[in-house]
Amino acid sequence: MLEFITLDGVMQAPGGPEEDTSGGFKYGGWSAPFSDEVSGKVMQKQMAPTDILLGRKTFEIFESYWPKHADYWSGINDVTKYVLSNTVKESPWENSVFLTSVADIEKLKNSEGSDIKVWGSGELAQLLLKHDLVDELWLKIYPVTLGKGKKLFNHDTMPAAFTLTESVVSPTGVIFVNYKRAGEVKTGTMGP
């Protein structure tokens, strides 16, 4: 799962002012001021062609943007775009496949094939965290707090341990961190 988040966990509308104004959100595009060369290189690595899983809202944003800008995201039109939706059933965007349930996602996860990345998709991300269907977290943590907005983690997140596999800090202070699932949460006592 690849997510843009603030220090206080907000993931809503990192890409632009009109991306998601629901709930009166007025900070759309909060990630833009932190762009730099290091961030660009990490993002290009994360955008390597692989199948993706999206929620309906994120899919609609991607569907209207990426087919016209595929020169920036190599292979985006060629990979399979899986979409969890109970309302949208088809799309003119090639290689789009629609799923309707957690069972569909579990079946997909357990099938043979390439890795599948989840981009954004807040409600889907929370659903996957609730059902322990996240193998890796690729977080882009931005040095800003917003207080209000849709958050990545909520009270339904399944307790899970993760191991750090990679990290980079950009000159503008964005922390790119990749974690891989590492079993159950372990507890203990601090100190001697």
Side-chain angles (χ1 to χ4, degrees), residues 1 102 106 109 123-137 152-162 180-186:
M1 182 171 1
V102 171
E106 289 172 335
K109 184 179 188 299
E123 291 177 29
L124 171 61
Q126 289 177 349
L127 184 70
L128 296 174
L129 289 164
K130 177 181 178 177
H131 290 278
D132 199 18
L133 293 170
V134 176
D135 294 328
E136 293 185 57
L137 292 170
L152 174 57
F153 301 104
N154 68 19
H155 64 278
D156 286 334
T157 298
M158 174 75 73
F162 290 84
K180 190 170 194 160
R181 188 72 159 78
E184 301 297 317
V185 174
K186 296 177 183 158

Side-chain angles (χ1 to χ4, degrees), residues 79-154:
V79 301
T80 302
K81 278 80 62 183
Y82 295 98
V83 186
L84 181 64
S85 176
N86 289 314
T87 57
V88 178
K89 306 291 182 204
E90 59 184 47
S91 170
W93 194 12
E94 56 194 280
N95 303 316
S96 296
V97 175
F98 292 85
L99 310 174
T100 59
S101 67
V102 171
D104 289 343
I105 295 170
E106 289 172 335
K107 183 177 176 183
L108 178 63
K109 184 179 188 299
N110 294 323
S111 67
E112 294 294 322
S114 68
D115 288 341
I116 299 170
K117 294 179 180 175
V118 176
W119 284 85
S121 304
E123 291 177 29
L124 171 61
Q126 289 177 349
L127 184 70
L128 296 174
L129 289 164
K130 177 181 178 177
H131 290 278
D132 199 18
L133 293 170
V134 176
D135 294 328
E136 293 185 57
L137 292 170
W138 295 22
L139 304 177
K140 294 163 270 308
I141 306 167
Y142 287 76
V144 62
T145 58
L146 301 177
K148 299 200 183 304
K150 296 175 183 173
K151 304 222 176 181
L152 174 57
F153 301 104
N154 68 19

Side-chain angles (χ1 to χ4, degrees), residues 26-66:
K26 60 183 181 179
Y27 298 108
W30 51 264
S31 70
F34 300 97
S35 294
D36 59 37
E37 187 176 332
V38 171
S39 296
K41 286 181 181 176
V42 173
M43 287 298 298
Q44 284 301 310
K45 180 180 174 185
Q46 292 181 347
M47 293 167 75
T50 187
D51 293 345
I52 59 176
L53 172 62
L54 303 168
R56 180 193 50 83
K57 293 173 192 171
T58 302
F59 175 76
E60 288 174 347
I61 293 168
F62 276 36
E63 177 187 41
S64 68
Y65 182 83
W66 285 113

